[in-house]
């Protein structure tokens, strides 16, 4: 939102400086993005008159002119190349040392083809006033009386321009008057009363009828539509003061009729539109669009209409989008004689939706989608009629109104003491009442509890908390006392939760194992989400997705990571290792959200490094790389991996014969790992091999508190003893069960157990058996083991494995 200082003073009686206004605006929540003061850029330029002009002695296209810069002072010799430079011309002069914004140079005293120029006569382009650079500026002959004065003072350009960044909930400040109202409430001046409007209601009926044509249930698209017909106008350029104001805020003057609507839009936050009434066929109606309809907009582009969009139409079809843009065919021109002025209220939500669909960003949309004051429909129409009659003449008809202005009146019970309760700011009741009344609220009652009726231009005030916010905002945030939070003890509590600490450790561990952290979308295409949701809960679909391809919340982190592998491969990186730690969703309930640490490896990006090597030993990743990553994460998070069971029931997106699940008991699933199923990779358009793992941090049991005292370091000086055992057992028995049974046989002497051989087939295959060989390491601590000691431990191992798995020692 842009406005000039003089424009603001049309509504605010104040003596505040530019700095004070800028500071106060930011303090009350209207953030000032910039203040552009033309005096800083153009203050050095003066009005000057050419007294003499003669041809340059050494150049055919240059002249040497004698310029009167100060009355009664000697004339200055200036070299000028403008074709329109002549005796008597009043123009703009730049003295030596002046920075020329249009050309980016600073004037210096140096000869031009042998003649020293003591300054420069300037064009509009050199002052960045327009693109015109064919000649120097030509001022009116009357300006000769103002020779020597600053150019910006003579032509009225000495008006600072403020640019304010508005939050979406402040539609009232999309007009200069709304900003002036806030400043008046903040004590920076007095809001001037609105001038009464009279003489705009004509004596004849409008020849153009206005109607609302909506099906039941869609009336809110345009609840009220008002218009007035003005005949016999003489359209043309608007006055210079109006053009200057529009240019100052970045708008291009078009003609008087259009400039009036743009001015009122900026001045009051009330968008309007004017139609050339002679170009209309039949009446004008507000209705919903019809599929296949099109119109040529004022932006010169053709726009398509659908049944969700509110349009203004005549008998020929749409004239424009309601609240967004008008049509070229019915627009006003210099030849317009009869005009229809439109003032309506359009539904903010439908306006915003239409704007998003069409991609149109206009000043009208900016205001209507935030919520224009519905009670400004008729006052805005009267103001526009008054300005049109004043600038281009014409005779107005009676106003035509279709529909009813929406009733936005609402009463809020407000306890004055809530200001202190919610903000800590202690204010007198009289000051609170004054602030609310100055903002336009109507107060009913006395005492601590009053009834507050917000004005129609403040759709963002709904409850007492909003009123407290308004009071504190205007009174000043700096007045709110700073109160330290109470400290219950002298020892500060941990900043991070246990889950956050585990997440941090998991990140560090995975990065240390050579994986690169990635951050992928939390949303997926529906097809991908379905691939990774089988048996993993219901899909969570978004009601308003940012894209059709991002319409479902991810049920797993793997789709994003695997897709990232494909994108890396497409760019020439064959060996990829990525991980991500984040949330995924098994349903739409709070408990369905879970935290996971997932990773993928592709190509030869194994734990020991990947890529091509001179010894030719680099191999593609396999299921054991993924298992190693998952187990390493569990170990880093304080879990005893010896107690973890490995089962073969990994989800369907893993290869059924090359994957597994890590469990803690029959119900608690800690992780999945394995090679990704080829069909899953095909669905994501990624080539094999890719291995992956998923560790569910929420499923991990709480870590046991460890004593800060470190255990005594015990290192035996006796050599370990290793013994091999081969067991024949059922083919469905897992090797982990054998290892755990062997470790528990004698915890004092057995230091480690590892599987070194598995045999299936031969005679064992017929019986559904397999042979698993393990190596058991015995570590004596006090004395060397005898054969008898070793034999006793061996019997314990055999008995323990048999009891746990049913396995027999192989003969």
């Amino acid at each position: 939102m842009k406005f000039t200082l003089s424009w603001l003073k049309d509504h605010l009686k104040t003596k505040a400086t530019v700095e004070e206004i800028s500071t106060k605006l930011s303090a009350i929540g209207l953030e000032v993005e910039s203040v552009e003061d033309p005096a800083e850029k153009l203050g050095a330029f003066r009005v000057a008159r050419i007294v003499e002009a003669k041809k340059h002695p050494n150049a055919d296209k240059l002249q040497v002119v004698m310029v009167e810069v100060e009355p009664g002072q000697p004339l200055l010799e200036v070299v000028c190349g403008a074709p329109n430079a002549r005796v008597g011309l009043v123009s703009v002069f730049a003295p030596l040392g002046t920075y020329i914004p249009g050309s980016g140079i600073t004037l210096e005293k140096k000869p031009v083809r042998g003649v020293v120029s003591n300054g420069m006569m300037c064009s509009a382009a050199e002052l960045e006033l327009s693109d015109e650079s064919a000649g120097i500026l030509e001022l009116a002959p009357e300006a000769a009386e103002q020779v020597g004065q600053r150019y910006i003072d003579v032509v009225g350009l000495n008006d600072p321009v403020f640019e304010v960044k508005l939050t979406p909930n402040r539609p009232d400040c999309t007009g200069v008057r709304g900003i002036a109202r806030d400043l008046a409430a903040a004590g920076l001046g007095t809001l001037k009363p609105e001038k009464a409007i009279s003489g705009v209601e004509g004596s004849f009926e409008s020849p153009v009828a206005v109607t609302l044509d909506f099906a039941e249930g869609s009336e809110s698209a345009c609840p009220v539509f008002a218009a007035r017909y003005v005949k016999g106008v003489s359209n043309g350029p608007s006055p210079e003061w109006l053009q200057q104001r529009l240019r100052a805020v970045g708008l291009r003057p078009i003609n008087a009729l259009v400039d009036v609507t743009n001015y009122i839009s900026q001045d009051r936050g009330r968008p309007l539109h004017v139609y050339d009434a002679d170009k209309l066929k039949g009446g004008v109606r507000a209705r919903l669009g019809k599929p296949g309809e099109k119109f040529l907009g004022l932006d010169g582009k053709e726009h398509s209409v659908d049944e969700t969009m509110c349009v203004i139409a005549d008998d020929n079809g749409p004239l424009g989008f309601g609240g967004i843009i008008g049509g070229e065919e019915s627009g006003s021109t210099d030849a317009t004689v009869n005009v229809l002025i439109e003032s309506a209220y359009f539904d903010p939500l439908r306006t915003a939706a239409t704007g998003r669909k069409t991609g149109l960003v206009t000043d009208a949309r900016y205001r209507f989608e935030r919520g224009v004051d519905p009670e400004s429909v008729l006052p805005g129409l009267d103001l526009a009629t008054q300005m049109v009659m004043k600038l281009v003449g014409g005779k107005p008809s009676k106003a035509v109104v279709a529909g009813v202005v929406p009733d936005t009146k609402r009463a809020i019970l407000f306890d004055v003491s809530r200001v202190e309760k919610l903000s800590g700011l202690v204010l007198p009741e009289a000051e609170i009442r004054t602030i609310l009344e100055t903002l336009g609220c109507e107060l009913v009652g006395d005492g601590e509890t009053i009834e507050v009726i917000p004005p129609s231009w403040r759709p963002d005030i709904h409850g007492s908390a909003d009123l407290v916010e308004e009071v504190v905002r205007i009174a000043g945030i700096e007045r709110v006392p700073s109160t330290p939070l109470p400290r219950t003890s002298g020892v500060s509590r941990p900043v991070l939760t246990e889950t956050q600490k585990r997440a941090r450790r998991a990140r560090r561990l995975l990065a240390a194992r050579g994986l690169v952290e990635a951050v992928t979308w939390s949303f997926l295409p529906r097809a991908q989400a379905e691939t990774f949701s089988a048996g993993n809960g219901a899909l969570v679909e978004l009601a308003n997705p940012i894209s059709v391809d991002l319409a479902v919340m991810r049920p797993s982190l793997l789709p994003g990571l695997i897709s990232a592998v494909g994108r890396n491969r497409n760019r020439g990186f064959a060996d990829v290792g990525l991980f991500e730690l984040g949330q995924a969703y098994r349903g739409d309930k709070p408990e369905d959200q879970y935290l996971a640490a997932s990773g993928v490896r592709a190509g030869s990006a194994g734990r020991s490094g990947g890529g091509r090597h001179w010894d030719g030993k680099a191999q593609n990743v396999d299921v054991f790389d993924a298992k190693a990553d998952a187990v390493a994460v569990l170990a880093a998070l304080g879990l005893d991996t010896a107690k973890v069971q490995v089962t073969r029931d990994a989800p369907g997106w893993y290869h059924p014969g090359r994957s597994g699940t890590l469990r803690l008991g029959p119900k608690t699933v800690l992780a999945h790992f394995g090679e990704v199923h080829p069909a899953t990779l095909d669905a994501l358009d990624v080539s094999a091999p890719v291995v992956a793992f998923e560790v569910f941090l929420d499923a991990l049991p709480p870590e046991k508190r460890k004593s800060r005292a470190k255990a005594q370091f015990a290192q035996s000086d006796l050599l370990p003893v290793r013994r091999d055992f081969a067991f024949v057992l059922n083919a469905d028995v897992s090797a982990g069960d054998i290892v755990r049974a062997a470790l528990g046989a004698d915890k004092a002497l057995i230091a480690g157990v590892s599987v070194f051989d598995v045999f299936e087939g031969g005679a064992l295959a017929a019986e559904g058996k397999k042979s698993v060989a393990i190596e058991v390491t015995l570590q004596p601590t006090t004395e060397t083991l005898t054969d008898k000691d070793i034999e006793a431990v061996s019997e314990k191992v055999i008995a323990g494995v048999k009891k746990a798995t049913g396995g027999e020692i192989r003969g």
Side-chain angles (χ1 to χ4, degrees):
M1 173 63 190
K2 284 186 175 182
F3 59 92
T4 64
L5 179 61
S6 64
W7 202 338
L8 178 68
K9 288 185 176 180
D10 282 353
H11 299 279
L12 183 70
K13 185 178 181 181
T14 181
K15 295 182 180 179
T17 64
V18 172
E19 260 190 43
E20 290 172 337
I21 293 173
S22 177
T23 301
K24 182 60 71 174
L25 284 171
S26 294
I28 61 178
L30 305 176
E31 181 185 351
V32 176
E33 292 195 302
S34 66
V35 179
E36 183 181 342
D37 191 350
E40 297 178 0
K41 184 171 66 173
L42 303 178
F45 296 87
R46 296 290 189 270
V47 175
R49 182 170 63 91
I50 298 177
V51 178
E52 299 177 16
K54 60 183 179 180
K55 186 179 178 182
H56 193 289
N58 303 318
D60 293 335
K61 295 184 178 181
L62 298 179
Q63 295 187 75
V64 178
V65 297
M66 301 302 293
V67 181
E68 181 188 13
V69 179
E70 291 285 347
Q73 298 296 318
L75 304 180
L76 295 181
E77 188 176 57
V78 176
V79 177
C80 182
N84 63 332
R86 61 187 184 274
V87 174
L89 177 66
V90 182
S91 186
V92 179
F93 172 76
L96 294 174
T98 303
Y99 175 77
I100 310 299
S103 57
I105 63 172
T106 301
L107 297 182
E108 299 177 2
K109 190 172 184 177
K110 57 184 180 180
V112 180
R113 294 289 184 94
V115 178
V116 175
S117 183
N118 294 288
M120 178 180 180
M121 304 302 290
C122 301
S123 68
E126 287 162 337
L127 271 61
E128 292 187 335
L129 299 177
S130 74
D131 296 330
E132 182 59 46
S133 59
I136 59 177
L137 282 163
E138 295 191 28
L139 303 183
E142 301 82 44
E145 300 177 1
Q146 298 168 303
V147 167
Q149 296 185 27
R150 295 197 310 174
Y151 169 67
I152 59 174
D153 295 333
V154 172
V155 298
L157 290 177
N158 56 340
D159 201 1
V161 180
F162 296 83
E163 184 172 5
V164 177
K165 182 179 181 181
L166 300 180
T167 52
N169 67 319
R170 293 303 307 275
D172 58 307
C173 288
T174 59
V176 180
R177 185 164 185 82
I179 293 174
R181 185 186 297 110
D182 264 24
L183 288 173
L188 214 62
T190 304
L191 187 68
K192 296 180 180 179
E194 293 190 66
K195 296 179 181 179
I197 299 174
S198 60
V200 297
E201 184 68 12
S203 58
F204 64 94
E205 299 294 333
S206 170
V208 180
V210 172
T211 58
L212 300 179
D213 184 12
F214 294 102
E216 185 177 352
S218 60
E219 302 91 342
S220 62
C222 179
V224 59
F225 189 104
R228 181 176 280 121
Y229 182 91
V230 182
K231 65 180 180 179
V233 301
S234 299
N235 197 18
S238 57
E240 186 60 30
W241 69 267
L242 179 52
Q243 293 190 38
Q244 283 185 4
R245 283 200 170 173
L246 294 179
R247 288 194 196 100
V249 298
L251 296 177
R252 179 174 60 89
I254 298 173
N255 58 52
L257 291 172
V258 176
D259 291 353
V260 164
T261 63
N262 287 336
Y263 176 81
I264 295 175
S265 179
Q266 293 287 134
D267 187 67
R268 304 298 174 93
R270 157 42 63 184
L272 303 161
H273 188 67
V274 289
Y275 301 94
D276 188 326
D278 296 331
K279 297 178 181 178
L280 300 174
K281 184 179 180 181
V284 174
R285 62 188 64 86
R287 61 172 173 82
L288 295 184
K290 301 174 183 177
E293 288 186 321
K294 296 180 180 180
F295 70 93
L296 182 64
L298 288 171
D299 57 356
K301 299 178 181 178
E302 188 175 67
H303 300 286
S304 298
V305 178
D306 67 32
E307 63 277 5
T308 66
M309 302 174 180
C310 180
V311 298
I312 308 301
D314 64 1
D315 292 348
N316 286 332
L319 301 171
F321 287 127
I324 298 180
I325 194 172
E328 180 73 30
E329 294 180 1
S330 60
S332 65
T333 66
D334 290 349
T336 298
V337 177
N338 303 308
V339 63
L340 184 73
I341 306 173
E342 167 204 306
S343 180
Y345 177 77
F346 298 100
D347 176 41
L349 295 179
R350 194 179 294 270
T351 302
T354 302
R356 284 197 298 270
K357 285 182 180 179
T358 59
L360 286 169
V361 180
T362 64
D363 285 346
R365 173 194 168 185
Y366 178 80
R367 288 165 172 79
F368 274 115
E369 71 182 0
R370 282 162 170 76
V372 171
D373 178 9
E375 294 187 8
S376 70
V377 171
L378 293 177
L381 179 63
D382 291 344
L383 179 59
T385 305
Q386 183 186 60
M387 290 190 68
V388 166
M389 294 169 61
K390 183 178 180 181
L391 298 182
V392 296
K395 293 183 178 180
S397 72
K398 295 180 181 179
V400 183
V401 181
V404 180
V405 175
D407 183 12
T408 59
K409 192 172 183 179
R410 56 199 180 279
I412 301 171
L413 283 178
F414 181 54
D415 184 354
V416 177
S417 63
R418 280 181 66 81
V419 174
E420 181 181 356
K421 291 177 182 177
L422 294 183
S423 69
L425 179 60
V426 180
L427 293 176
E429 181 183 337
E431 183 177 358
I432 295 174
R433 296 179 69 98
T434 300
I435 289 174
L436 293 176
E437 287 174 340
T438 311
L439 289 175
C441 295
E442 181 184 344
L443 307 186
V444 180
D446 296 314
E448 283 202 355
T449 302
I450 58 177
E451 193 176 76
V452 180
I453 303 173
S456 59
W457 58 78
R458 291 302 301 270
D460 59 314
I461 298 178
H462 300 285
S464 58
D466 296 325
L467 295 172
V468 171
E469 179 187 355
E470 292 300 301
V471 171
V472 175
R473 178 177 68 87
I474 297 299
I477 298 294
E478 69 279 358
R479 294 172 63 180
V480 177
S482 299
T483 306
L485 294 173
R487 295 188 63 177
T488 56
S489 65
V491 179
S492 60
R493 295 182 178 180
V495 176
L496 300 179
T497 65
E498 291 303 316
T499 300
Q500 290 171 328
K501 289 178 182 178
R502 281 184 161 181
R504 177 175 291 187
R505 291 210 306 271
R507 279 193 176 96
R508 290 180 176 176
L509 183 278
L510 291 171
R513 292 179 65 81
L515 296 175
V516 177
E517 185 171 11
V519 179
T520 64
W521 286 102
S522 296
F523 322 113
L524 297 175
R526 183 178 182 85
Q528 290 187 15
E530 289 175 345
T531 301
F532 286 84
S533 66
N536 199 29
L539 293 181
V540 182
E541 298 191 44
L542 299 176
N544 187 22
I546 60 176
S547 167
V548 176
D549 291 335
L550 300 173
V552 181
M553 300 296 289
R554 61 186 179 190
S556 169
L557 303 184
L558 291 185
L561 290 172
I562 296 172
S563 297
V565 168
R567 290 192 293 272
N568 277 272
R569 282 180 168 173
N570 293 340
R571 287 163 176 78
F573 298 95
D575 306 320
V576 185
L578 303 172
F579 81 91
E580 182 174 8
L581 198 147
Q583 305 286 344
Y585 309 87
R586 298 188 179 102
D588 56 4
K589 297 179 181 178
E591 60 269 20
D592 294 331
Q593 177 176 317
Y594 66 95
L595 180 65
S598 302
V600 293
R601 293 183 186 270
S604 58
R607 182 163 45 90
S608 59
R612 301 169 65 183
H613 194 268
W614 61 267
D615 64 3
K617 292 183 178 180
Q619 297 181 358
N620 286 333
V621 291
D622 59 20
V623 59
F624 298 107
D625 292 305
K627 179 183 178 182
D629 289 329
V631 171
V633 172
L634 295 176
L637 300 184
L639 198 70
D640 184 1
T641 55
K643 298 179 180 179
V644 173
Q645 295 175 300
V646 181
T647 60
R648 298 180 180 180
D649 54 345
W653 51 89
Y654 290 100
H655 194 297
R658 302 172 187 174
S659 60
T661 297
L662 300 178
R663 295 178 176 274
L664 193 64
K667 295 183 178 180
T668 304
V669 176
L670 302 176
H672 301 306
F673 65 89
E675 294 186 20
V676 181
H677 199 289
T680 302
L681 295 177
D682 288 343
L684 298 175
D685 196 21
V686 178
S687 57
V690 176
V691 299
F693 66 88
E694 302 168 273
V695 178
F696 309 114
L697 274 62
D698 296 335
L700 300 181
E703 287 189 82
K704 294 182 180 179
R705 292 186 174 273
K706 297 180 180 178
S707 173
R708 293 189 176 183
K710 294 185 178 180
Q712 180 181 0
F713 178 72
Q715 178 64 45
S716 176
D717 56 356
L718 301 174
L719 291 175
V721 177
R722 295 179 175 83
R723 287 292 182 268
D724 297 340
F725 301 86
F727 294 94
V728 176
L729 27 69
N730 293 334
D732 59 352
V733 177
S734 66
D737 294 340
I738 303 173
V739 171
R740 281 190 294 274
L743 281 171
D746 192 326
K747 296 182 180 179
L749 284 178
I750 298 177
V753 178
S754 62
V755 178
F756 68 87
D757 181 64
V758 177
F759 173 74
E760 293 180 286
L764 295 177
E767 301 176 6
K769 302 286 187 179
K770 66 179 178 181
S771 171
V772 178
I774 60 174
E775 179 187 71
V776 178
T777 301
L778 308 178
Q779 179 60 63
T781 56
T782 58
E783 58 183 2
T784 302
L785 296 177
T786 64
D787 290 342
K788 184 177 180 180
D789 296 332
I790 295 172
E791 187 66 26
V793 173
S794 297
E795 291 178 359
K796 291 180 181 180
V797 169
I798 294 171
V801 171
K802 182 177 182 179
K803 181 178 180 182
T805 67
E808 298 286 347
I809 194 72
R810 186 175 178 182

